[in-house]
Amino acid sequence: MIRTKKRLGDLLIEAGLITEDQLQAALAQKAPRQRLGEALVQRGTITEHQLIEVLEVQLGIPHISLFSYPFDKKLFNLVSKEMARRHLVIPLKKDGDKLFIAMSDPLDFLAIDDLRLSTGFQIEAAIATRDDIVRAINKYYNTDDALEEFLGDLPSKDVASEVDVTDIDSPIVRLVNMLLSNAASQKASDIHIDPQETKVVVRYRIDGVLRVERVLPKSMQNVLAARIKIMANLDITEYRIPQDGRIKVNLDFHPIDLRVSTLPTVFGEKIVMRLMDMGSTLNDLAKLGFNQLNFKRFNDMIEKPTGIVLITGPTGSGKSSTLYAALNRLNREEVNIITIEDPVEYQLEGINQIQVNQNVGMTFAAGLRSILRQDPNIVMVGEIRDKETVDVAIRASLTGHLVLSTLHTNDSLGTITRLVDMGVEPFMVASALSGVVAQRLVRKVCRDCAETVEPSKREIDIFQRRGIRIEKVPRGRGCSSCNMTGYKGRIALHEVLVINDELRRAIMDGETFQVLRDIAVKNRTIFLIDDGLLKIKQGLTTTEEVLRVAILE
């Protein structure tokens, strides 16, 4: 292998993938022990595939896909799991005194020397993506046949007496850690543990779509539930009522917060764990996918000192992320921000967050009343669920506070109708409401296998109906980096409705939905379907994804 002194940043600039400014920004903002390539990929400046192509051409090191590679499992005894995870390497094959390994950073000569000394072989490196290697390590090193055999023989009647669910070396503890680690490495948002009549199914929600990760024997159900409940500080003896808890863990030196919910079903307790990534970049409003006009309008709304700004959409449409990003932008030393949430999802420094507790009478409305006596500038209400909460929120906005909240409606204009239906007087809605953001999440086309194709006749027709010309549409072929789905990551579609004087008059006069819509069109409101079509034109998502979440009128 040719050892070159040329630095990675210089290689990427030579290949025309990044500029000097982008390189300096990444170097300044990356974590102390983080590698430059990893930092650039994390920032979205380049994809891992582009990084690997540069290294492959410039260094003459082959690139390998691990998606369906025929691994020799005996080699996993040569390179320990700890070493594989520390250096992000995985052994591929052995040939005489040479050991071929896949690594994410072939310029890491310390790792190569470490492997040479620990294995006694000459090391030949190939490049693979970081995600590919992490997925392979989790899949092959974590396959613990003895663990499943041991737990599979358990009688299902008892919970904790058969297995020590607190011992760190216990098989069940290893299994739960493995499930969490796999979910984090695959960037899953939720883990579903579904008890069925004869088995327990573990599913991960990745990019909004559930897929089966593994099927466990029924006899593991009780010990699995007991272990998760102990981690979440729940009552392990209570399985007749739903329970909620939290788990904080460090996975690969990365803090992950898990929200745990249990629900009794006919076949036992269903457990859902929502993964909250504490190191997530979603605290930056500029990275949420707003187009320029919507971004400016939303910024103007939240910069106002008073009024209500509502974010609407179904469960799992990213409303909380947008709210937190807005709060992060408004979070300054001279501003008092108080939130009331159920539950508190992300803990933000410098913001006072209150947890709803129905058992002691701490409801949204009761908490909101108390907040108003705490001299707040900005109030965030997790969700408006009833007339009482909306009344207090409107009163707060009319007495000099900025109120941010969420509501479950289909679109931005439907929010006005919904508030009136909840019993709020139209003149109160018109006076208090500053604006509404309707939001949906769609899957992004994988950047590594994206290609442009001719649009179908139906696609051309859809674009023409909305007054947009289209020549090419994006598609993902499917590659190892996106698990052959053609999609990787998600992006938000937004519909930002600004309540101006004309709309206020129409609301006070009790005008019909159609009249309100005509005014919104006149004000150049970008509807969900239009934002989706513009994102297709930018090559970010597909027509199928947009039509899955937005209605074509």
PDB file of all heavy atoms in Angstrom, residues 339-363:
ATOM      1  N   THR A 339     -41.640  26.276  28.889  1.00  0.00           N
ATOM      2  CA  THR A 339     -42.437  25.334  28.096  1.00  0.00           C
ATOM      3  C   THR A 339     -43.230  24.420  29.023  1.00  0.00           C
ATOM      4  O   THR A 339     -42.806  24.156  30.145  1.00  0.00           O
ATOM      5  CB  THR A 339     -41.555  24.446  27.192  1.00  0.00           C
ATOM      6  OG1 THR A 339     -40.939  23.429  27.993  1.00  0.00           O
ATOM      7  CG2 THR A 339     -40.468  25.234  26.497  1.00  0.00           C
ATOM      8  N   ILE A 340     -44.383  23.948  28.538  1.00  0.00           N
ATOM      9  CA  ILE A 340     -45.112  22.886  29.237  1.00  0.00           C
ATOM     10  C   ILE A 340     -45.398  21.798  28.206  1.00  0.00           C
ATOM     11  O   ILE A 340     -45.974  22.061  27.148  1.00  0.00           O
ATOM     12  CB  ILE A 340     -46.395  23.392  29.940  1.00  0.00           C
ATOM     13  CG1 ILE A 340     -47.117  22.218  30.609  1.00  0.00           C
ATOM     14  CG2 ILE A 340     -47.321  24.150  29.003  1.00  0.00           C
ATOM     15  CD1 ILE A 340     -47.984  22.576  31.757  1.00  0.00           C
ATOM     16  N   GLU A 341     -44.908  20.577  28.492  1.00  0.00           N
ATOM     17  CA  GLU A 341     -44.928  19.512  27.487  1.00  0.00           C
ATOM     18  C   GLU A 341     -45.403  18.190  28.082  1.00  0.00           C
ATOM     19  O   GLU A 341     -45.338  17.998  29.292  1.00  0.00           O
ATOM     20  CB  GLU A 341     -43.507  19.319  26.913  1.00  0.00           C
ATOM     21  CG  GLU A 341     -42.897  20.580  26.349  1.00  0.00           C
ATOM     22  CD  GLU A 341     -41.408  20.440  26.095  1.00  0.00           C
ATOM     23  OE1 GLU A 341     -41.030  19.585  25.275  1.00  0.00           O
ATOM     24  OE2 GLU A 341     -40.621  21.167  26.728  1.00  0.00           O
ATOM     25  N   ASP A 342     -45.846  17.310  27.213  1.00  0.00           N
ATOM     26  CA  ASP A 342     -46.258  15.976  27.651  1.00  0.00           C
ATOM     27  C   ASP A 342     -45.861  14.955  26.577  1.00  0.00           C
ATOM     28  O   ASP A 342     -46.603  14.731  25.634  1.00  0.00           O
ATOM     29  CB  ASP A 342     -47.784  15.946  27.860  1.00  0.00           C
ATOM     30  CG  ASP A 342     -48.272  14.587  28.354  1.00  0.00           C
ATOM     31  OD1 ASP A 342     -47.438  13.847  28.932  1.00  0.00           O
ATOM     32  OD2 ASP A 342     -49.458  14.267  28.172  1.00  0.00           O
ATOM     33  N   PRO A 343     -44.710  14.300  26.696  1.00  0.00           N
ATOM     34  CA  PRO A 343     -43.666  14.513  27.708  1.00  0.00           C
ATOM     35  C   PRO A 343     -42.630  15.514  27.217  1.00  0.00           C
ATOM     36  O   PRO A 343     -42.677  15.929  26.055  1.00  0.00           O
ATOM     37  CB  PRO A 343     -43.039  13.120  27.816  1.00  0.00           C
ATOM     38  CG  PRO A 343     -43.150  12.590  26.407  1.00  0.00           C
ATOM     39  CD  PRO A 343     -44.410  13.175  25.816  1.00  0.00           C
ATOM     40  N   VAL A 344     -41.673  15.878  28.095  1.00  0.00           N
ATOM     41  CA  VAL A 344     -40.542  16.710  27.685  1.00  0.00           C
ATOM     42  C   VAL A 344     -39.635  15.822  26.833  1.00  0.00           C
ATOM     43  O   VAL A 344     -39.071  14.854  27.332  1.00  0.00           O
ATOM     44  CB  VAL A 344     -39.781  17.258  28.918  1.00  0.00           C
ATOM     45  CG1 VAL A 344     -38.513  17.980  28.472  1.00  0.00           C
ATOM     46  CG2 VAL A 344     -40.670  18.186  29.730  1.00  0.00           C
ATOM     47  N   GLU A 345     -39.528  16.129  25.535  1.00  0.00           N
ATOM     48  CA  GLU A 345     -38.774  15.244  24.627  1.00  0.00           C
ATOM     49  C   GLU A 345     -37.281  15.532  24.672  1.00  0.00           C
ATOM     50  O   GLU A 345     -36.479  14.654  24.922  1.00  0.00           O
ATOM     51  CB  GLU A 345     -39.318  15.389  23.199  1.00  0.00           C
ATOM     52  CG  GLU A 345     -40.705  14.770  23.055  1.00  0.00           C
ATOM     53  CD  GLU A 345     -41.198  14.745  21.626  1.00  0.00           C
ATOM     54  OE1 GLU A 345     -40.391  14.970  20.711  1.00  0.00           O
ATOM     55  OE2 GLU A 345     -42.395  14.515  21.428  1.00  0.00           O
ATOM     56  N   TYR A 346     -36.906  16.771  24.382  1.00  0.00           N
ATOM     57  CA  TYR A 346     -35.485  17.158  24.428  1.00  0.00           C
ATOM     58  C   TYR A 346     -35.301  18.171  25.540  1.00  0.00           C
ATOM     59  O   TYR A 346     -36.127  19.066  25.698  1.00  0.00           O
ATOM     60  CB  TYR A 346     -35.045  17.803  23.112  1.00  0.00           C
ATOM     61  CG  TYR A 346     -35.068  16.885  21.929  1.00  0.00           C
ATOM     62  CD1 TYR A 346     -36.152  16.863  21.058  1.00  0.00           C
ATOM     63  CD2 TYR A 346     -34.006  16.028  21.667  1.00  0.00           C
ATOM     64  CE1 TYR A 346     -36.183  16.021  19.963  1.00  0.00           C
ATOM     65  CE2 TYR A 346     -34.028  15.179  20.573  1.00  0.00           C
ATOM     66  CZ  TYR A 346     -35.114  15.183  19.728  1.00  0.00           C
ATOM     67  OH  TYR A 346     -35.136  14.337  18.644  1.00  0.00           O
ATOM     68  N   GLN A 347     -34.229  18.017  26.304  1.00  0.00           N
ATOM     69  CA  GLN A 347     -33.952  18.996  27.356  1.00  0.00           C
ATOM     70  C   GLN A 347     -33.013  20.051  26.803  1.00  0.00           C
ATOM     71  O   GLN A 347     -31.914  19.737  26.357  1.00  0.00           O
ATOM     72  CB  GLN A 347     -33.362  18.286  28.587  1.00  0.00           C
ATOM     73  CG  GLN A 347     -34.465  17.569  29.350  1.00  0.00           C
ATOM     74  CD  GLN A 347     -33.988  16.354  30.112  1.00  0.00           C
ATOM     75  OE1 GLN A 347     -32.794  16.165  30.280  1.00  0.00           O
ATOM     76  NE2 GLN A 347     -34.912  15.528  30.573  1.00  0.00           N
ATOM     77  N   LEU A 348     -33.485  21.301  26.804  1.00  0.00           N
ATOM     78  CA  LEU A 348     -32.717  22.398  26.220  1.00  0.00           C
ATOM     79  C   LEU A 348     -32.126  23.269  27.318  1.00  0.00           C
ATOM     80  O   LEU A 348     -32.835  23.670  28.242  1.00  0.00           O
ATOM     81  CB  LEU A 348     -33.615  23.251  25.317  1.00  0.00           C
ATOM     82  CG  LEU A 348     -34.266  22.547  24.123  1.00  0.00           C
ATOM     83  CD1 LEU A 348     -35.210  23.487  23.409  1.00  0.00           C
ATOM     84  CD2 LEU A 348     -33.219  22.055  23.144  1.00  0.00           C
ATOM     85  N   GLU A 349     -30.853  23.572  27.179  1.00  0.00           N
ATOM     86  CA  GLU A 349     -30.169  24.386  28.190  1.00  0.00           C
ATOM     87  C   GLU A 349     -30.686  25.824  28.146  1.00  0.00           C
ATOM     88  O   GLU A 349     -30.875  26.400  27.080  1.00  0.00           O
ATOM     89  CB  GLU A 349     -28.659  24.371  27.905  1.00  0.00           C
ATOM     90  CG  GLU A 349     -27.836  24.766  29.113  1.00  0.00           C
ATOM     91  CD  GLU A 349     -26.342  24.665  28.841  1.00  0.00           C
ATOM     92  OE1 GLU A 349     -25.945  23.815  28.027  1.00  0.00           O
ATOM     93  OE2 GLU A 349     -25.606  25.435  29.443  1.00  0.00           O
ATOM     94  N   GLY A 350     -30.950  26.387  29.331  1.00  0.00           N
ATOM     95  CA  GLY A 350     -31.378  27.782  29.409  1.00  0.00           C
ATOM     96  C   GLY A 350     -32.865  27.982  29.232  1.00  0.00           C
ATOM     97  O   GLY A 350     -33.358  29.109  29.204  1.00  0.00           O
ATOM     98  N   ILE A 351     -33.619  26.864  29.084  1.00  0.00           N
ATOM     99  CA  ILE A 351     -35.083  26.957  28.925  1.00  0.00           C
ATOM    100  C   ILE A 351     -35.742  26.193  30.062  1.00  0.00           C
ATOM    101  O   ILE A 351     -35.324  25.090  30.402  1.00  0.00           O
ATOM    102  CB  ILE A 351     -35.511  26.395  27.544  1.00  0.00           C
ATOM    103  CG1 ILE A 351     -35.013  27.334  26.430  1.00  0.00           C
ATOM    104  CG2 ILE A 351     -37.017  26.218  27.449  1.00  0.00           C
ATOM    105  CD1 ILE A 351     -35.301  26.871  25.031  1.00  0.00           C
ATOM    106  N   ASN A 352     -36.761  26.789  30.677  1.00  0.00           N
ATOM    107  CA  ASN A 352     -37.467  26.143  31.789  1.00  0.00           C
ATOM    108  C   ASN A 352     -38.559  25.247  31.223  1.00  0.00           C
ATOM    109  O   ASN A 352     -39.501  25.739  30.600  1.00  0.00           O
ATOM    110  CB  ASN A 352     -38.093  27.212  32.697  1.00  0.00           C
ATOM    111  CG  ASN A 352     -37.089  28.280  33.092  1.00  0.00           C
ATOM    112  OD1 ASN A 352     -36.213  28.045  33.905  1.00  0.00           O
ATOM    113  ND2 ASN A 352     -37.199  29.453  32.470  1.00  0.00           N
ATOM    114  N   GLN A 353     -38.421  23.948  31.447  1.00  0.00           N
ATOM    115  CA  GLN A 353     -39.378  22.998  30.859  1.00  0.00           C
ATOM    116  C   GLN A 353     -40.186  22.295  31.953  1.00  0.00           C
ATOM    117  O   GLN A 353     -39.629  21.822  32.946  1.00  0.00           O
ATOM    118  CB  GLN A 353     -38.621  21.970  30.004  1.00  0.00           C
ATOM    119  CG  GLN A 353     -37.979  22.611  28.781  1.00  0.00           C
ATOM    120  CD  GLN A 353     -37.029  21.685  28.033  1.00  0.00           C
ATOM    121  OE1 GLN A 353     -35.880  21.524  28.425  1.00  0.00           O
ATOM    122  NE2 GLN A 353     -37.514  21.069  26.967  1.00  0.00           N
ATOM    123  N   ILE A 354     -41.494  22.259  31.756  1.00  0.00           N
ATOM    124  CA  ILE A 354     -42.409  21.659  32.740  1.00  0.00           C
ATOM    125  C   ILE A 354     -43.040  20.412  32.140  1.00  0.00           C
ATOM    126  O   ILE A 354     -43.427  20.404  30.969  1.00  0.00           O
ATOM    127  CB  ILE A 354     -43.531  22.656  33.127  1.00  0.00           C
ATOM    128  CG1 ILE A 354     -42.938  23.969  33.662  1.00  0.00           C
ATOM    129  CG2 ILE A 354     -44.489  22.045  34.149  1.00  0.00           C
ATOM    130  CD1 ILE A 354     -43.957  25.095  33.766  1.00  0.00           C
ATOM    131  N   GLN A 355     -43.137  19.368  32.950  1.00  0.00           N
ATOM    132  CA  GLN A 355     -43.747  18.105  32.516  1.00  0.00           C
ATOM    133  C   GLN A 355     -45.208  18.059  32.980  1.00  0.00           C
ATOM    134  O   GLN A 355     -45.497  18.302  34.147  1.00  0.00           O
ATOM    135  CB  GLN A 355     -42.960  16.943  33.138  1.00  0.00           C
ATOM    136  CG  GLN A 355     -43.596  15.589  32.980  1.00  0.00           C
ATOM    137  CD  GLN A 355     -43.328  14.964  31.627  1.00  0.00           C
ATOM    138  OE1 GLN A 355     -42.215  14.932  31.155  1.00  0.00           O
ATOM    139  NE2 GLN A 355     -44.375  14.483  30.988  1.00  0.00           N
ATOM    140  N   VAL A 356     -46.122  17.771  32.057  1.00  0.00           N
ATOM    141  CA  VAL A 356     -47.539  17.597  32.434  1.00  0.00           C
ATOM    142  C   VAL A 356     -47.672  16.377  33.340  1.00  0.00           C
ATOM    143  O   VAL A 356     -47.035  15.352  33.113  1.00  0.00           O
ATOM    144  CB  VAL A 356     -48.407  17.413  31.165  1.00  0.00           C
ATOM    145  CG1 VAL A 356     -49.784  16.859  31.498  1.00  0.00           C
ATOM    146  CG2 VAL A 356     -48.541  18.726  30.417  1.00  0.00           C
ATOM    147  N   ASN A 357     -48.459  16.496  34.400  1.00  0.00           N
ATOM    148  CA  ASN A 357     -48.716  15.362  35.299  1.00  0.00           C
ATOM    149  C   ASN A 357     -50.193  15.372  35.687  1.00  0.00           C
ATOM    150  O   ASN A 357     -50.614  16.093  36.591  1.00  0.00           O
ATOM    151  CB  ASN A 357     -47.812  15.474  36.542  1.00  0.00           C
ATOM    152  CG  ASN A 357     -47.904  14.240  37.428  1.00  0.00           C
ATOM    153  OD1 ASN A 357     -48.825  13.420  37.285  1.00  0.00           O
ATOM    154  ND2 ASN A 357     -46.964  14.088  38.337  1.00  0.00           N
ATOM    155  N   GLN A 358     -50.983  14.567  34.959  1.00  0.00           N
ATOM    156  CA  GLN A 358     -52.439  14.555  35.172  1.00  0.00           C
ATOM    157  C   GLN A 358     -52.799  14.097  36.579  1.00  0.00           C
ATOM    158  O   GLN A 358     -53.803  14.538  37.148  1.00  0.00           O
ATOM    159  CB  GLN A 358     -53.107  13.596  34.151  1.00  0.00           C
ATOM    160  CG  GLN A 358     -52.805  13.911  32.700  1.00  0.00           C
ATOM    161  CD  GLN A 358     -53.650  15.046  32.149  1.00  0.00           C
ATOM    162  OE1 GLN A 358     -54.505  15.579  32.841  1.00  0.00           O
ATOM    163  NE2 GLN A 358     -53.395  15.439  30.916  1.00  0.00           N
ATOM    164  N   ASN A 359     -51.965  13.205  37.161  1.00  0.00           N
ATOM    165  CA  ASN A 359     -52.290  12.625  38.480  1.00  0.00           C
ATOM    166  C   ASN A 359     -52.384  13.670  39.581  1.00  0.00           C
ATOM    167  O   ASN A 359     -53.106  13.499  40.555  1.00  0.00           O
ATOM    168  CB  ASN A 359     -51.230  11.571  38.879  1.00  0.00           C
ATOM    169  CG  ASN A 359     -51.186  10.435  37.876  1.00  0.00           C
ATOM    170  OD1 ASN A 359     -52.178  10.171  37.200  1.00  0.00           O
ATOM    171  ND2 ASN A 359     -50.047   9.775  37.761  1.00  0.00           N
ATOM    172  N   VAL A 360     -51.597  14.740  39.452  1.00  0.00           N
ATOM    173  CA  VAL A 360     -51.623  15.772  40.512  1.00  0.00           C
ATOM    174  C   VAL A 360     -52.304  17.053  40.024  1.00  0.00           C
ATOM    175  O   VAL A 360     -52.178  18.105  40.637  1.00  0.00           O
ATOM    176  CB  VAL A 360     -50.185  16.078  41.015  1.00  0.00           C
ATOM    177  CG1 VAL A 360     -49.588  14.889  41.716  1.00  0.00           C
ATOM    178  CG2 VAL A 360     -49.285  16.552  39.885  1.00  0.00           C
ATOM    179  N   GLY A 361     -52.992  16.957  38.876  1.00  0.00           N
ATOM    180  CA  GLY A 361     -53.736  18.109  38.370  1.00  0.00           C
ATOM    181  C   GLY A 361     -52.915  19.080  37.547  1.00  0.00           C
ATOM    182  O   GLY A 361     -53.376  20.187  37.253  1.00  0.00           O
ATOM    183  N   MET A 362     -51.679  18.698  37.192  1.00  0.00           N
ATOM    184  CA  MET A 362     -50.841  19.576  36.361  1.00  0.00           C
ATOM    185  C   MET A 362     -51.173  19.316  34.890  1.00  0.00           C
ATOM    186  O   MET A 362     -50.533  18.521  34.209  1.00  0.00           O
ATOM    187  CB  MET A 362     -49.354  19.333  36.653  1.00  0.00           C
ATOM    188  CG  MET A 362     -48.402  20.070  35.716  1.00  0.00           C
ATOM    189  SD  MET A 362     -48.532  21.841  35.779  1.00  0.00           S
ATOM    190  CE  MET A 362     -47.283  22.201  37.014  1.00  0.00           C
ATOM    191  N   THR A 363     -52.241  19.952  34.423  1.00  0.00           N
ATOM    192  CA  THR A 363     -52.647  19.813  33.020  1.00  0.00           C
ATOM    193  C   THR A 363     -52.012  20.952  32.215  1.00  0.00           C
ATOM    194  O   THR A 363     -51.384  21.849  32.787  1.00  0.00           O
ATOM    195  CB  THR A 363     -54.181  19.907  32.899  1.00  0.00           C
ATOM    196  OG1 THR A 363     -54.574  21.202  33.407  1.00  0.00           O
ATOM    197  CG2 THR A 363     -54.877  18.807  33.675  1.00  0.00           C
TER     198      THR A 363
END
